[in-house]
Amino acid sequence: MNFGKLFGICALASGIALAGCGNKPAQTTEAPAATDPTAQTIKVGVMAGPEQAVAEVAGKVAKEKYNLTVELVEFNDYALPNTAVSNGDLDANAMQHKPYLDEDTAKKGLDNLAIVGNTFVYPLAGYSKTIKNLSELKDGATVAVPNDPSNLARALILLEKQGLIKLKDNNNLLSTTLDIVENPKNLKIKEVDTAVAARAIDDVDLAVVNNNYAGQAGLNASEHGVFVEDKQSPYVNIIVARTDNKDSEAIQNFVKAYQTDEVEAEAKKQFKDGVVKGW
């Protein structure tokens, strides 16, 4: 056998085979899309309703100006968002004032929360279906007030400013009905769940209601309020984060996005000018 000839044939066949393999379409895997290293995402708790609509504008500003994605988590209960921030389920929340934060954190032992910025004063107001001004309020009338500690005190302080009652100490932001020392009209102060206070106006002579719940019931302070909390209120709403993330770029950029003209305009739209800028 001519081994040289055989070797040549095998080499030729091998070359053809390799050439054939080289002509096959390349098996490629599409490269993953490049990610933007500056993009960040945070979760922020807000109350359902008009305040959520305001926060949505803050989220849009955050995305446009700071490439920050804000995922809003909606709540219907004030008792939950602070715990969610504290345990890391949320990065921040925007739904309360400092007196409420102080009371809630003391009660639950939440020692890792921090205020990072102001938003708006959402004034409480007195609403009624039976009277247009306080001179019409009869002796012995029933007045509904929110039952959570900080909003209860806030409502009582507001009633005192209207001359309806007198408190032992109107600087005590946790006053209760036990602190009423004068009640010249013998008003019946009825504590009701904060979330349903707006609906209480069907059953009482006067109800003091938080602005966001009033908005959900189609009420606004400027048009329907018998009296309204003034601009000197200490109850400015705040943005709350944790001590371990309060100085982060994402949190600071969210605060800056919230404190903008666009967000203020949306707040005035949602609350019919019944808000006061807090920064």
Side-chain angles (χ1 to χ4, degrees):
M1 179 179 291
N2 187 334
F3 289 100
K5 183 176 181 181
L6 179 60
F7 178 80
I9 294 171
C10 289
L12 178 61
S14 176
I16 293 171
L18 290 173
C21 290
N23 288 333
K24 290 181 180 179
Q27 301 297 314
T28 61
T29 301
E30 185 177 348
T35 57
D36 185 344
T38 67
Q40 295 176 305
T41 300
I42 61 171
K43 290 184 178 180
V44 178
V46 295
M47 297 305 293
E51 287 186 35
Q52 180 178 352
V54 174
E56 285 173 355
V57 174
K60 291 177 182 178
V61 174
K63 186 63 176 177
E64 293 169 359
K65 292 188 175 181
Y66 306 109
N67 199 19
L68 174 65
T69 298
V70 179
E71 295 181 4
L72 296 179
V73 181
E74 174 185 314
F75 290 88
N76 289 290
D77 187 342
Y78 279 99
L80 302 176
N82 282 331
T83 300
V85 173
S86 179
N87 64 25
D89 291 335
L90 296 175
D91 298 296
N93 65 49
M95 41 62 67
Q96 67 194 312
H97 45 63
K98 186 177 183 297
Y100 182 86
L101 174 69
D102 290 345
E103 187 274 333
D104 198 40
T105 54
K107 180 173 64 178
K108 299 175 182 176
L110 307 177
D111 59 359
N112 64 337
L113 299 182
I115 298 172
V116 292
N118 291 348
T119 60
F120 300 97
V121 177
Y122 293 97
L124 264 66
Y127 297 94
S128 177
K129 285 191 172 181
T130 60
I131 66 171
K132 296 296 184 182
N133 57 68
L134 285 179
S135 64
E136 302 171 29
L137 190 65
K138 297 179 180 179
D139 288 359
T142 300
V143 179
V145 293
N147 66 353
D148 71 89
S150 64
N151 280 308
L152 170 59
R154 184 179 181 182
L156 294 175
I157 292 169
L158 181 57
L159 291 177
E160 184 184 73
K161 286 187 175 181
Q162 310 312 308
L164 296 175
I165 61 172
K166 184 174 178 57
L167 296 170
K168 185 185 304 181
D169 178 7
N170 59 17
N171 292 312
N172 178 7
L173 300 184
L174 292 176
S175 293
T176 72
T177 53
L178 297 176
D179 296 306
I180 298 174
V181 293
E182 292 182 20
N183 184 0
K185 282 183 172 288
N186 296 309
L187 301 175
K188 299 172 184 175
I189 308 298
K190 180 179 180 181
E191 296 182 30
V192 300
D193 187 274
T194 306
V196 301
R199 295 197 293 273
I201 64 172
D202 293 327
D203 305 311
V204 300
D205 301 290
L206 182 70
V208 180
V209 185
N210 291 63
N211 212 357
N212 60 320
Y213 290 123
Q216 291 179 36
L219 301 170
N220 70 76
S222 61
E223 292 182 23
H224 307 110
V226 178
F227 53 85
V228 183
E229 197 172 27
D230 63 29
K231 296 180 180 181
Q232 305 306 315
S233 170
Y235 293 90
V236 61
N237 271 28
I238 52 180
I239 300 170
V240 173
R242 288 186 306 279
T243 52
D244 65 359
N245 73 348
K246 66 184 181 67
D247 296 319
S248 69
E249 182 180 43
I251 293 296
Q252 292 300 313
N253 283 341
F254 176 68
V255 173
K256 288 188 285 187
Y258 209 113
Q259 295 177 346
T260 55
D261 293 341
E262 297 95 320
V263 174
E264 182 185 9
E266 183 64 22
K268 289 184 174 182
K269 172 185 173 184
Q270 292 293 327
F271 293 96
K272 311 296 184 184
D273 290 326
V275 296
V276 178
K277 184 171 71 172
W279 64 89

